[in-house]
Coordinates of all heavy atoms in Angstrom, one line a residue:
Chain B
L185 N -9.4 66.8 -94.7 CA -8.6 67.4 -95.8 C -9.4 68.5 -96.4 O -8.9 69.7 -96.5 CB -8.3 66.5 -97.0 CG -7.0 65.8 -96.9 CD1 -7.0 64.8 -98.1 CD2 -5.9 66.8 -97.1
M186 N -10.6 68.4 -96.7 CA -11.6 69.5 -97.3 C -11.6 70.6 -96.4 O -11.4 71.8 -96.7 CB -12.9 68.9 -97.6 CG -14.0 69.8 -97.6 SD -14.8 70.2 -99.1 CE -15.1 68.9 -99.8
M187 N -11.9 70.3 -95.1 CA -12.0 71.5 -94.1 C -10.8 72.2 -94.0 O -10.7 73.4 -94.1 CB -12.3 70.8 -92.7 CG -13.5 70.0 -92.7 SD -15.0 71.0 -92.8 CE -14.7 72.4 -91.9
L188 N -9.6 71.5 -93.9 CA -8.5 72.1 -93.6 C -7.8 72.8 -94.7 O -7.2 73.9 -94.5 CB -7.4 71.2 -93.1 CG -7.5 70.7 -91.7 CD1 -6.6 69.5 -91.4 CD2 -7.3 71.7 -90.7
F189 N -8.1 72.4 -95.9 CA -7.4 73.1 -97.1 C -8.4 74.1 -97.7 O -8.2 75.2 -97.8 CB -6.9 72.2 -98.1 CG -5.6 71.5 -97.7 CD1 -5.6 70.2 -96.9 CD2 -4.4 72.0 -97.6 CE1 -4.5 69.7 -96.5 CE2 -3.2 71.5 -97.2 CZ -3.3 70.2 -96.6
W190 N -9.5 73.4 -98.3 CA -10.4 74.3 -99.2 C -11.1 75.5 -98.2 O -11.1 76.6 -98.6 CB -11.4 73.4 -99.7 CG -12.4 74.0 -100.7 CD1 -13.7 74.1 -100.4 CD2 -12.1 75.0 -101.8 NE1 -14.3 74.8 -101.4 CE2 -13.4 75.3 -102.2 CE3 -11.0 75.3 -102.4 CZ2 -13.5 76.2 -103.2 CZ3 -11.0 76.1 -103.4 CH2 -12.3 76.5 -103.9
F191 N -11.8 75.0 -97.1 CA -12.4 76.0 -96.4 C -11.5 76.9 -95.8 O -12.0 78.2 -95.7 CB -13.4 75.4 -95.2 CG -14.6 74.6 -95.8 CD1 -15.2 73.8 -95.1 CD2 -14.9 74.9 -97.2 CE1 -16.4 73.1 -95.5 CE2 -16.1 74.3 -97.7 CZ -16.8 73.4 -96.8
S192 N -10.3 76.7 -95.3 CA -9.6 77.7 -94.8 C -9.1 78.7 -95.9 O -8.8 79.8 -95.6 CB -8.4 77.0 -94.0 OG -7.9 76.0 -94.6
F193 N -8.8 78.1 -97.1 CA -8.5 78.9 -98.2 C -9.5 80.1 -98.4 O -9.1 81.3 -98.6 CB -8.1 78.0 -99.4 CG -7.8 78.6 -100.7 CD1 -6.6 79.3 -100.8 CD2 -8.7 78.9 -101.6 CE1 -6.2 80.0 -102.0 CE2 -8.3 79.4 -102.9 CZ -7.2 80.0 -103.0
M194 N -10.6 79.6 -98.5 CA -11.8 80.5 -98.7 C -11.8 81.5 -97.6 O -12.0 82.8 -98.0 CB -13.1 79.6 -98.6 CG -13.9 79.7 -99.8 SD -15.3 78.6 -99.4 CE -16.3 79.6 -98.2
Y195 N -11.7 81.0 -96.3 CA -11.7 82.0 -95.2 C -10.7 83.1 -95.2 O -11.0 84.2 -95.1 CB -11.7 81.1 -94.1 CG -11.7 81.9 -92.7 CD1 -13.0 82.3 -92.2 CD2 -10.5 82.2 -92.0 CE1 -13.0 82.9 -91.1 CE2 -10.6 83.0 -90.9 CZ -11.9 83.4 -90.3 OH -11.9 83.9 -89.2
L196 N -9.5 82.5 -95.7 CA -8.3 83.6 -95.6 C -8.5 84.6 -96.8 O -8.3 85.7 -96.5 CB -7.1 82.6 -95.9 CG -5.8 83.3 -95.5 CD1 -5.7 83.4 -93.9 CD2 -4.6 82.5 -95.8
G197 N -9.0 84.0 -97.8 CA -9.2 85.0 -99.0 C -10.2 86.0 -98.5 O -10.2 87.3 -98.8
E198 N -11.3 85.6 -97.9 CA -12.4 86.5 -97.6 C -11.9 87.6 -96.4 O -12.3 88.7 -96.5 CB -13.6 85.9 -96.9 CG -14.3 85.1 -98.0 CD -14.6 86.0 -99.2 OE1 -15.0 87.2 -99.1 OE2 -14.5 85.4 -100.4
V199 N -11.0 87.1 -95.5 CA -10.5 87.9 -94.5 C -9.7 89.1 -95.2 O -9.7 90.2 -94.9 CB -9.7 87.2 -93.4 CG1 -8.9 88.2 -92.5 CG2 -10.7 86.4 -92.7
F200 N -8.8 88.6 -96.1 CA -7.9 89.5 -96.7 C -8.7 90.6 -97.6 O -8.4 91.9 -97.7 CB -6.9 88.8 -97.8 CG -5.8 88.2 -97.0 CD1 -5.3 86.9 -97.5 CD2 -5.3 88.7 -95.9 CE1 -4.3 86.4 -96.8 CE2 -4.2 88.2 -95.4 CZ -3.7 86.9 -95.6
K201 N -9.8 90.1 -98.3 CA -10.6 91.2 -99.0 C -11.3 92.1 -98.0 O -11.3 93.3 -98.4 CB -11.7 90.3 -99.8 CG -11.2 89.6 -101.0 CD -12.4 89.1 -101.8 CE -11.8 87.9 -102.7 NZ -12.8 87.0 -103.0
T202 N -11.8 91.6 -96.9 CA -12.4 92.5 -95.9 C -11.4 93.6 -95.5 O -11.8 94.8 -95.4 CB -12.9 91.7 -94.7 OG1 -13.6 90.6 -95.2 CG2 -13.7 92.7 -93.8
Y203 N -10.2 93.2 -95.2 CA -9.3 94.2 -94.6 C -8.5 94.8 -95.8 O -7.5 95.6 -95.5 CB -8.4 93.5 -93.7 CG -9.2 93.3 -92.3 CD1 -9.5 92.0 -92.0 CD2 -9.7 94.3 -91.5 CE1 -10.3 91.8 -90.9 CE2 -10.5 94.1 -90.5 CZ -10.8 92.7 -90.2 OH -11.6 92.4 -89.1
N204 N -8.8 94.6 -97.0 CA -8.3 95.2 -98.2 C -6.7 95.1 -98.1 O -5.9 96.0 -98.4 CB -8.6 96.7 -98.0 CG -8.8 97.2 -99.5 OD1 -9.0 96.3 -100.4 ND2 -8.8 98.4 -99.7
L205 N -6.2 93.9 -98.0 CA -4.8 93.6 -98.0 C -4.4 92.9 -99.2 O -5.1 92.2 -99.8 CB -4.4 92.7 -96.8 CG -4.6 93.2 -95.4 CD1 -4.4 92.0 -94.3 CD2 -3.7 94.3 -95.2
A206 N -3.2 93.3 -99.7 CA -2.7 92.6 -100.9 C -2.1 91.3 -100.4 O -1.3 91.3 -99.5 CB -1.7 93.4 -101.6
M207 N -2.1 90.2 -101.2 CA -1.4 89.1 -100.8 C -1.2 88.3 -102.1 O -1.9 88.3 -103.0 CB -2.4 88.1 -99.8 CG -1.9 87.0 -99.3 SD -0.3 87.3 -98.4 CE -0.7 88.3 -97.1
D208 N 0.0 87.7 -102.1 CA 0.4 86.9 -103.2 C 0.2 85.4 -103.1 O 0.1 85.0 -102.0 CB 1.8 87.3 -103.5 CG 2.6 86.9 -102.4 OD1 2.4 87.5 -101.2 OD2 3.7 86.1 -102.5
Y209 N 0.0 84.8 -104.2 CA -0.2 83.4 -104.3 C 0.9 82.6 -103.5 O 0.6 81.7 -102.7 CB -0.3 82.8 -105.6 CG -1.7 83.0 -106.3 CD1 -1.9 83.9 -107.3 CD2 -2.8 82.4 -105.6 CE1 -3.2 84.1 -107.8 CE2 -4.1 82.6 -106.1 CZ -4.3 83.4 -107.2 OH -5.6 83.6 -107.7
P210 N 2.2 82.8 -103.7 CA 3.1 81.9 -103.0 C 3.0 82.0 -101.5 O 3.0 80.9 -100.9 CB 4.5 82.6 -103.5 CG 4.3 83.2 -104.7 CD 2.8 83.8 -104.6
T211 N 2.8 83.2 -100.9 CA 2.7 83.2 -99.5 C 1.4 82.6 -99.0 O 1.4 81.7 -98.0 CB 2.6 84.7 -99.0 OG1 3.6 85.5 -99.7 CG2 2.7 84.8 -97.5
V212 N 0.4 82.7 -99.7 CA -0.9 82.1 -99.4 C -0.7 80.6 -99.4 O -1.3 79.9 -98.6 CB -2.1 82.5 -100.3 CG1 -3.2 81.6 -100.2 CG2 -2.6 83.9 -100.0
A213 N -0.1 80.1 -100.6 CA 0.2 78.7 -100.7 C 0.9 78.2 -99.6 O 0.5 77.1 -98.9 CB 0.9 78.4 -101.9
M214 N 1.9 78.8 -99.1 CA 2.7 78.4 -97.9 C 1.9 78.4 -96.6 O 2.0 77.3 -95.9 CB 3.9 79.3 -97.6 CG 5.1 79.1 -98.4 SD 5.7 77.5 -98.1 CE 6.6 77.8 -96.4
I215 N 1.0 79.3 -96.4 CA 0.2 79.5 -95.3 C -0.8 78.3 -95.2 O -0.9 77.5 -94.3 CB -0.5 80.8 -95.1 CG1 0.4 81.9 -95.0 CG2 -1.5 80.8 -93.9 CD1 -0.3 83.3 -95.0
I216 N -1.5 78.1 -96.3 CA -2.5 77.0 -96.3 C -1.8 75.7 -96.3 O -2.3 74.8 -95.6 CB -3.4 77.2 -97.6 CG1 -4.1 78.4 -97.7 CG2 -4.3 76.1 -97.7 CD1 -5.1 78.5 -96.7
W217 N -0.7 75.5 -97.0 CA 0.0 74.2 -97.0 C 0.4 73.8 -95.6 O 0.1 72.8 -95.1 CB 1.1 74.2 -97.9 CG 2.0 73.2 -97.9 CD1 3.4 73.2 -97.5 CD2 1.9 71.8 -98.3 NE1 4.0 72.0 -97.7 CE2 3.0 71.0 -98.0 CE3 0.7 71.2 -98.7 CZ2 3.1 69.7 -98.3 CZ3 0.7 69.8 -99.0 CH2 1.9 69.1 -98.7
N218 N 1.1 74.9 -94.8 CA 1.4 74.6 -93.5 C 0.3 74.4 -92.5 O 0.3 73.3 -91.8 CB 2.2 75.8 -92.9 CG 3.7 75.7 -93.3 OD1 4.4 75.1 -92.7 ND2 4.0 76.2 -94.5
F219 N -0.7 75.1 -92.7 CA -1.9 75.0 -91.8 C -2.5 73.6 -91.9 O -2.8 72.9 -91.0 CB -3.0 76.1 -92.1 CG -4.2 76.2 -91.3 CD1 -4.1 76.5 -90.0 CD2 -5.3 75.6 -91.7 CE1 -5.3 76.5 -89.2 CE2 -6.6 75.7 -91.1 CZ -6.5 76.1 -89.8
G220 N -2.7 73.2 -93.3 CA -3.4 72.0 -93.7 C -2.6 70.8 -93.1 O -3.2 69.9 -92.5
V221 N -1.3 70.8 -93.6 CA -0.6 69.6 -93.3 C -0.4 69.4 -91.8 O -0.6 68.2 -91.3 CB 0.8 69.7 -93.9 CG1 1.7 68.5 -93.5 CG2 0.6 69.5 -95.5
V222 N 0.0 70.5 -91.0 CA 0.1 70.2 -89.6 C -1.2 69.9 -89.0 O -1.2 69.0 -88.0 CB 0.8 71.6 -89.0 CG1 0.8 71.4 -87.5 CG2 2.1 71.9 -89.6
G223 N -2.3 70.5 -89.5 CA -3.5 70.1 -89.0 C -3.9 68.6 -89.2 O -4.3 67.8 -88.2
M224 N -3.5 68.0 -90.4 CA -3.7 66.6 -90.6 C -2.8 65.8 -89.7 O -3.4 64.7 -89.1 CB -3.4 66.2 -92.1 CG -4.3 66.9 -93.1 SD -6.0 66.3 -92.9 CE -5.9 64.6 -93.5
I225 N -1.7 66.2 -89.4 CA -0.8 65.5 -88.6 C -1.3 65.4 -87.2 O -1.3 64.4 -86.5 CB 0.7 66.0 -88.6 CG1 1.3 65.9 -90.1 CG2 1.5 65.5 -87.5 CD1 2.7 66.4 -90.1
C226 N -1.7 66.6 -86.7 CA -2.2 66.7 -85.3 C -3.4 65.9 -85.0 O -3.7 65.3 -84.1 CB -2.4 68.1 -85.0 SG -1.0 69.0 -84.5
I227 N -4.3 66.0 -86.1 CA -5.6 65.3 -85.8 C -5.6 63.9 -86.1 O -6.2 63.1 -85.3 CB -6.7 65.9 -86.7 CG1 -6.9 67.4 -86.4 CG2 -8.0 65.2 -86.6 CD1 -7.8 68.1 -87.4
H228 N -4.9 63.4 -87.1 CA -5.0 62.0 -87.4 C -3.8 61.2 -87.0 O -3.8 60.1 -87.2 CB -5.1 61.8 -88.9 CG -6.5 62.3 -89.5 ND1 -7.6 61.6 -89.4 CD2 -6.8 63.5 -90.1 CE1 -8.5 62.3 -89.9 NE2 -8.1 63.4 -90.4
W229 N -2.8 61.9 -86.5 CA -1.6 61.1 -86.1 C -1.2 61.6 -84.7 O -2.0 61.6 -83.9 CB -0.5 61.3 -87.1 CG 0.8 60.5 -86.9 CD1 0.7 59.1 -87.0 CD2 2.1 60.9 -86.8 NE1 1.9 58.6 -86.8 CE2 2.7 59.7 -86.7 CE3 2.7 62.0 -86.7 CZ2 4.2 59.7 -86.4 CZ3 4.1 61.9 -86.6 CH2 4.8 60.9 -86.5
K230 N 0.0 62.1 -84.5 CA 0.4 62.4 -83.2 C 0.8 63.9 -83.2 O 1.5 64.5 -84.1 CB 1.6 61.7 -82.7 CG 1.2 60.1 -82.7 CD 2.5 59.4 -82.3 CE 2.4 58.1 -82.7 NZ 3.7 57.3 -82.8
G231 N 0.2 64.6 -82.2 CA 0.6 65.9 -82.2 C 0.3 66.5 -80.8 O -0.4 65.9 -79.8
P232 N 0.8 67.7 -80.4 CA 0.5 68.3 -79.1 C -1.0 68.5 -78.8 O -1.6 68.9 -79.7 CB 1.3 69.6 -79.1 CG 1.9 69.8 -80.3 CD 1.6 68.7 -81.3
L233 N -1.3 68.3 -77.6 CA -2.7 68.3 -77.3 C -3.5 69.6 -77.6 O -4.5 69.7 -78.2 CB -2.9 68.0 -75.9 CG -4.4 67.6 -75.4 CD1 -4.8 66.5 -76.2 CD2 -4.5 67.4 -74.0
Q234 N -2.8 70.7 -77.1 CA -3.5 71.9 -77.3 C -3.7 72.4 -78.8 O -4.6 73.0 -79.2 CB -2.7 73.2 -76.6 CG -2.8 73.1 -75.1 CD -1.7 72.4 -74.5 OE1 -0.9 71.7 -75.1 NE2 -1.4 72.9 -73.3
L235 N -2.6 71.9 -79.6 CA -2.8 72.2 -80.9 C -3.9 71.5 -81.6 O -4.7 71.9 -82.4 CB -1.4 71.8 -81.7 CG -1.2 72.5 -83.1 CD1 -1.1 74.0 -83.0 CD2 0.1 72.0 -83.7

Side-chain angles (χ1 to χ4, degrees):
Chain B
L185 261 174
M186 151 111 48
M187 302 291 316
L188 285 170
F189 288 98
W190 180 240
F191 285 169
S192 45
F193 177 70
M194 236 175 78
Y195 180 82
L196 206 60
E198 292 308 321
V199 169
F200 285 141
K201 280 186 204 154
T202 308
Y203 292 105
N204 218 18
L205 295 171
M207 187 50 67
D208 54 305
Y209 277 114
T211 315
V212 164
M214 271 302 281
I215 296 176
I216 299 289
W217 173 242
N218 274 272
F219 181 74
V221 172
V222 178
M224 293 298 287
I225 291 177
C226 279
I227 295 174
H228 294 281
W229 191 56
K230 303 175 196 157
L233 191 62
Q234 285 98 334
L235 197 60

